[in-house]
Amino acid sequence: EFPPALLSPACASLCLQGALFALHCSQSPSCARFCRALIGCLSRDSPAHHQSPLLTSLHDPARSHLLEAAMMVLDPPGLRELFRGHLRGHLRGVASHRVANHGLQRLLDHGPEDVVQEVLSELGPALEEPLARGHPGVVIALLGAARRHPRLQGEALKWLFQVGHAPLPPGHAPFSARPRPLCVRP
């Protein structure tokens, strides 16, 4: 159990991130237990009762770095549990949030094929939204995940090619306010 003070201050957060990385590099079996304990702590005490406490942590700049570090070393069953228990059904909001989208990118960077497939199914039709909010990293991470999992490449490309062809919701601007000239270099 982590004292709450260890989860918030930047210095403590950095120390926990370093501990996760060191345990992962040493291939210690303690790494998985440490990750799960950390995620368990981040999954409690949410001021927002309408959403998962872990989702709230993902929106918080200090806590999201801890969660990202945990996602980078968590085993596939742990990533599956994290996704299905906390993120499934919330991906459009996560992908469009200025902080939380980085956690989604880490999930895509390290997630097993079945998790990436579920993310692609949920987020694919809405890929334009993170781009409109200036978060191209989500699309890049999704394409990187599709590269790692070749079975998903066709679906990922299908959704990518549809970006910009669907009507935008009222009040949303396209991700590029003005067209940029094409530059060809010799």
Side-chain angles (χ1 to χ4, degrees):
E1 170 120 5
F2 296 95
L6 277 179
L7 298 176
S8 297
C11 182
S13 172
L14 188 58
C15 290
L16 287 173
Q17 290 174 53
L20 272 171
F21 181 72
L23 282 172
H24 180 66
C25 286
S26 72
Q27 298 180 348
S28 170
S30 301
C31 186
R33 288 193 313 270
F34 186 65
C35 276
R36 291 181 194 285
L38 181 59
I39 289 170
C41 287
L42 292 170
S43 297
R44 286 186 293 207
D45 303 328
S46 171
H49 299 291
H50 62 281
Q51 68 182 16
S52 158
L54 194 87
L55 200 52
T56 303
S57 291
L58 200 55
H59 287 79
D60 176 73
R63 289 179 174 223
S64 70
H65 287 301
L66 277 172
L67 196 50
E68 288 176 45
M71 284 187 220
M72 290 170 60
V73 299
L74 196 58
D75 58 345
L79 287 170
R80 231 176 249 112
E81 183 181 322
L82 176 92
F83 172 72
R84 292 181 180 147
H86 301 280
L87 300 176
R88 181 192 278 161
H90 302 280
L91 292 181
R92 289 176 73 171
V94 169
S96 297
H97 190 271
R98 66 178 182 80
V99 175
N101 82 82
H102 297 283
L104 177 58
Q105 290 176 48
R106 296 302 78 72
L107 178 71
L108 289 166
D109 291 344
H110 302 281
E113 184 174 356
D114 59 321
V115 170
V116 174
Q117 170 66 52
E118 288 186 56
V119 171
L120 188 56
S121 295
E122 183 178 335
L123 191 58
L127 277 183
E128 193 160 285
E129 291 175 21
L131 288 173
R133 292 204 170 29
H135 307 304
V138 172
V139 176
I140 292 167
L142 190 59
L143 292 174
R147 182 175 180 222
R148 279 192 345 271
H149 305 294
R151 276 189 340 102
L152 305 178
Q153 289 176 2
E155 186 178 358
L157 288 174
K158 176 187 90 167
W159 291 121
L160 179 66
F161 290 143
Q162 289 183 9
V163 169
H165 297 286
L168 287 173
H172 286 82
F175 61 89
S176 177
R178 58 178 187 259
R180 293 186 178 154
L182 179 65
C183 295
V184 179
R185 294 183 183 202

